[in-house]
Amino acid sequence: MDKKTILTPQEAMQYSPLTLAFLGDSVYEQLVRASLVLEANMAVGKLHELAVKKVCAPYQARAAHFLCENGFDEQELYIFKRGRNANGINAPKSAKNSDYRAATGLETVFGYLTLIGKSERCEQLFEIIVTNIKE
């Protein structure tokens, strides 16, 4: 995002948690894909297979729980809880509701941080995730 589109924290908080999660989902997936491409030059099918393992609800839920204890600051924890507890979250049959809610909370944080221009913080949190959460 360029400087003209960066919001204040107060402006970003005006968005619904699910709207923040909508954005955060793409931010998180882009970080996953970039890290996989930079890790090794491999077939696209293999890249997709590896990406799916890191963007699925159970993996993101483990990451979210780890960050709640070891990474989020107070504001990020608040944003996470807003996303996790949002109304209108319907988990697919392939995921547990609690995992899907935690994953939504994680994506909410990534969306919020992106809107307020803290992409470096997104990268820091992502690095904490890939360093500490195994598939």
Side-chain angles (χ1 to χ4, degrees):
M1 299 186 90
D2 68 37
K3 297 278 184 201
K4 291 182 271 184
T5 58
I6 293 174
L7 303 179
T8 67
Q10 296 79 15
E11 290 170 329
M13 289 294 288
Q14 298 302 309
Y15 287 87
S16 77
L18 296 182
T19 300
L20 295 173
F22 173 79
L23 175 60
D25 175 59
S26 68
V27 172
Y28 178 83
E29 185 161 358
Q30 184 176 9
L31 289 167
V32 167
R33 287 177 179 225
S35 72
L36 290 172
V37 167
L38 293 173
E39 193 174 291
N41 187 4
M42 61 184 90
V44 173
K46 182 65 174 173
L47 288 169
H48 177 73
E49 178 185 322
L50 293 171
V52 166
K53 290 179 182 178
K54 292 188 177 182
V55 298
C56 68
Y59 182 87
Q60 286 183 319
R62 288 195 313 276
H65 294 303
F66 185 85
L67 289 173
C68 284
E69 299 294 325
N70 306 290
F72 287 152
D73 64 25
E74 190 176 314
Q75 180 68 11
E76 292 162 351
L77 185 58
Y78 174 75
I79 298 296
F80 166 78
K81 289 177 181 178
R82 277 188 71 209
R84 181 195 62 196
N85 298 332
N87 291 325
I89 297 176
N90 297 312
K93 291 180 182 177
S94 62
K96 291 187 337 189
N97 192 47
S98 60
D99 283 352
Y100 197 74
R101 285 185 164 280
T104 300
L106 178 68
E107 292 167 349
T108 303
V109 173
F110 277 83
Y112 171 79
L113 291 173
T114 299
L115 284 180
I116 64 170
K118 292 193 174 183
S119 58
E120 286 182 15
R121 180 61 177 155
C122 288
E123 292 169 10
Q124 289 173 341
L125 292 173
F126 182 74
E127 188 59 36
I128 293 169
I129 292 169
V130 297
T131 302
N132 293 285
I133 309 301
K134 302 305 171 202
E135 294 165 18

